[in-house]
Amino acid sequence: VQLQASGGGLVQPGGSLRLSCEASGSIFKINTMNWYRQAPGKQRELVAQITYGGSTNYAGSVKGRFTISRDNAKNTVYLQMNSLKPEDTAVYYCNADIVRHGFYLAHDYWGQGTLVTVSS
């Protein structure tokens, strides 16, 4: 199983970006999908999460600006980021709790990270 994140880049303050993360491999079911971020010199933090049924949760610093969504048919999670601020600059990682075919328990998988830079 692999997670492939994309969509990062350089954007001006106030701008928008949309991150995508597609899971591939022998997947039976994906439970919760998450976006984390890690800024230089800081610990990795949870930005947003979404359950299989679509319930969402956000970090206070992004609530109202970021929207997480998923397409279960495509095994893909998205993060729409609006009104971006310089403090949103970080490497963004997708993470998912995945049950593989032939297995009973779910395991935690991480994508490779995509860099988001908010700067004028």
Side-chain angles (χ1 to χ4, degrees), residues 21-77:
C21 177
E22 180 181 6
S24 60
S26 183
I27 297 170
F28 174 68
K29 183 182 180 182
I30 303 177
N31 295 321
T32 301
M33 304 184 83
N34 309 295
W35 285 100
Y36 285 79
R37 68 184 180 186
Q38 187 167 19
K42 294 188 176 181
Q43 290 189 331
R44 191 172 297 189
E45 63 172 347
L46 177 64
V47 175
Q49 63 184 183
I50 184 167
T51 67
Y52 180 83
S55 297
T56 59
N57 187 40
Y58 296 92
S61 59
V62 307
K63 198 172 293 185
R65 300 189 297 122
F66 291 10
T67 302
I68 189 171
S69 61
R70 63 189 286 172
D71 185 331
N72 290 331
K74 295 181 179 179
N75 291 334
T76 300
V77 62

Side-chain angles (χ1 to χ4, degrees), residues 98-115:
I98 297 175
V99 181
R100 296 168 57 191
H101 280 293
F103 290 78
Y104 178 72
L105 296 177
H107 292 276
D108 211 35
Y109 293 87
W110 290 86
Q112 84 286 5
T114 184
L115 177 62

